[in-house]
Amino acid sequence: MRTIMLSLAMLGIASMPAAAQSIGGTYTVAGTNFDGSKYGGEATITLTSDTTCTIHWETGGSTSDGICMRNDNAFSAGYAMGKEVGLVVYKIEKDGSLHGLWTIAGQNGNGTEMLTPK
């Protein structure tokens, strides 16, 4: 619940205009799991409006899908991977990369993830 509250705080309650840079496209994924082990793969972000999107990850031999939302330089996604539900919150960097933290409902800890535009 705390992570969700943080995500909502980062996104803001009032709607703010999205930055001019588009985040739609394909990204290289580099991340760490809760235990520090590394994973990689690819993510595709498909815009559905000026601030909302869908996201699809193919990482470590598994796939997951989610919905996402952007507000200025904050970008977050809720996702499902099998029966697990998770949340990732990214900061959009000036070079277009997204640097974030992710977690899974009911588990302690977090992983890290960086998406780099292809």
Side-chain angles (χ1 to χ4, degrees):
M1 181 57 83
R2 197 183 236 174
T3 305
I4 293 171
M5 297 295 277
L6 174 61
S7 176
L8 291 174
M10 287 182 71
L11 288 173
I13 300 301
S15 178
M16 295 175 64
Q21 177 187 5
S22 175
I23 57 170
T26 305
Y27 293 79
T28 300
V29 176
T32 60
N33 293 302
F34 287 17
D35 65 2
S37 62
K38 295 179 188 257
Y39 66 88
E42 186 174 281
T44 303
I45 298 172
T46 304
L47 300 177
T48 55
S49 78
D50 289 341
T51 57
T52 60
C53 52
T54 59
I55 185 167
H56 174 80
W57 288 271
E58 294 184 11
T59 57
S62 64
T63 63
S64 56
D65 291 286
I67 61 167
C68 39
M69 185 172 193
R70 178 183 184 162
N71 185 1
D72 198 23
N73 71 340
F75 180 77
S76 62
Y79 62 92
M81 188 165 49
K83 293 183 179 183
E84 296 181 317
V85 176
L87 176 70
V88 59
V89 178
Y90 300 97
K91 178 181 179 191
I92 303 170
E93 302 294 340
K94 290 181 182 181
D95 66 359
S97 64
L98 289 75
H99 296 221
L101 297 175
W102 59 269
T103 194
I104 297 172
Q107 295 189 20
N108 293 325
N110 66 269
T112 64
E113 190 166 271
M114 183 170 66
L115 304 182
T116 305
K118 282 191 156 189

